[in-house]
Amino acid sequence: MKAVRFHRYGPADVLRLEDVEAPLPGPGQVRIRVAATSFNPVDASIRSGGMQGSIPVTLPHTPGVDVAGTVDLLGDGVSGLDVGDDVVGFLPMTATGAAAQHVLAPAGALTAAPTSIPLTEAAALPAVALTAWQALFEHAHLEAGQRVLVNGAGGAVGVHAVRLAKRAGAHVIAVAGARSGGRARAAGADEVVDRSRTAVGTAVTGQVDVLLNLAPLEPAELAAMADLVRSSGVTVNTTVWMPAPADEERGVRGVNLFVRSDAGQLAELVALVDRGELGVDVARRVPLAELPALHAEAAAGGLSGKVVVVPPTP
């Protein structure tokens, strides 16, 4: 089969499209004929070697933590899935990824794919939607009527966070760049702050219950935003190289979020998609052979929106 792999850590040009043996599932695993994976910043961080401590992988490594595809082989002991089932999942980040024609996955990490959108587009859902869901509901315990400040609201995770927070009955203040503010507004944000024109502390009037930071900031910038969080509120930060500010005196929690696979949560998100309550936005579709160029584009800062990567048909 075709797969993109890297044999050493480094820039985007370490990625190579190669011919490799198709894998066979072990106990508890299924093999998926990949319809698509998607690009996530963590893929680039793993490839560069910057995550060796927290996400150790075996070289050569195939990136791609998101997968959408069709089950074509079952390992021993697998129940609840059958050959021919269309599935989506968030793969273990230390395991071989889905930038290939086939990939192995733990059966317990998978859920039925949405039926209301093309299977290739479903690859854009798992990592970003799970990050938003876990930030808002598992860690921030968001409730109706609360005020949420989302920094990085125009990105793939941010758009889901805005939609999910609005669905939960929150007042959402979105902080985004000039190019992405329209996406946050279209997702339903009540207020949109253009960070390139206005200081957040000046633009946001009143305190918030939840600060969700999804974008790289200087520590001083994040601390200034955290000052907007009311007593007993929470700051959830996904930029794990910089700890979330906390304020014990005011009872403000600081949570550093590292997204995890959860098939139950993913099934709830799929149900929202199929009911038309959560959109899946795909900016572009690129063939597997162009994945190295996509990594290079991301490194240069030119990537906007969610991109899915489609392998050739076996």
Side-chain angles (χ1 to χ4, degrees), residues 6 9 41-51 55 57 61 65 93:
F6 58 90
Y9 297 111
V42 71
D43 296 318
S45 297
I46 293 170
R47 184 216 70 234
S48 70
M51 305 291 284
I55 310 177
V57 299
H61 178 71
V65 295
M93 285 190 278

Side-chain angles (χ1 to χ4, degrees), residues 135-142 146-149 208-213 225-226 228-237 244-247 250-256:
L136 293 172
F137 304 116
E138 191 171 291
H139 295 291
H141 310 302
L142 181 67
Q146 291 188 321
R147 286 166 54 87
V148 182
L149 176 62
V208 300
D209 300 282
V210 177
L211 165 61
L212 173 54
N213 180 54
M225 279 193 199
L228 296 169
V229 180
R230 70 174 77 254
S231 297
S232 302
V234 59
T235 295
V236 182
N237 178 43
D247 187 335
R250 297 194 302 120
V252 176
R253 294 185 294 125
V255 177
N256 298 302

Side-chain angles (χ1 to χ4, degrees), residues 59-199:
L59 299 180
H61 178 71
T62 298
V65 295
D66 285 325
V67 66
T70 304
V71 174
D72 74 349
L73 279 178
L74 302 177
D76 290 341
V78 172
S79 60
L81 288 173
D82 293 307
V83 171
D85 287 350
D86 289 339
V87 293
V88 291
F90 180 57
L91 301 174
M93 285 190 278
T94 56
T96 300
Q101 290 177 301
H102 291 90
V103 69
L104 300 180
L110 303 172
T111 194
T115 58
S116 59
I117 60 174
L119 188 56
T120 53
E121 292 187 8
L125 181 69
V128 291
L130 283 171
T131 300
W133 181 279
Q134 290 170 18
L136 293 172
F137 304 116
E138 191 171 291
H139 295 291
H141 310 302
L142 181 67
E143 297 178 358
Q146 291 188 321
R147 286 166 54 87
V148 182
L149 176 62
V150 181
N151 183 48
V157 177
V159 167
H160 281 301
V162 171
R163 287 172 174 155
L164 290 170
K166 284 300 299 176
R167 181 180 175 275
H171 180 93
V172 180
I173 306 165
V175 181
R179 291 191 305 169
S180 60
R183 290 197 292 268
R185 186 173 285 105
D190 297 284
E191 304 173 45
V192 178
V193 178
D194 182 347
R195 66 168 182 259
S196 66
R197 294 176 176 269
T198 310

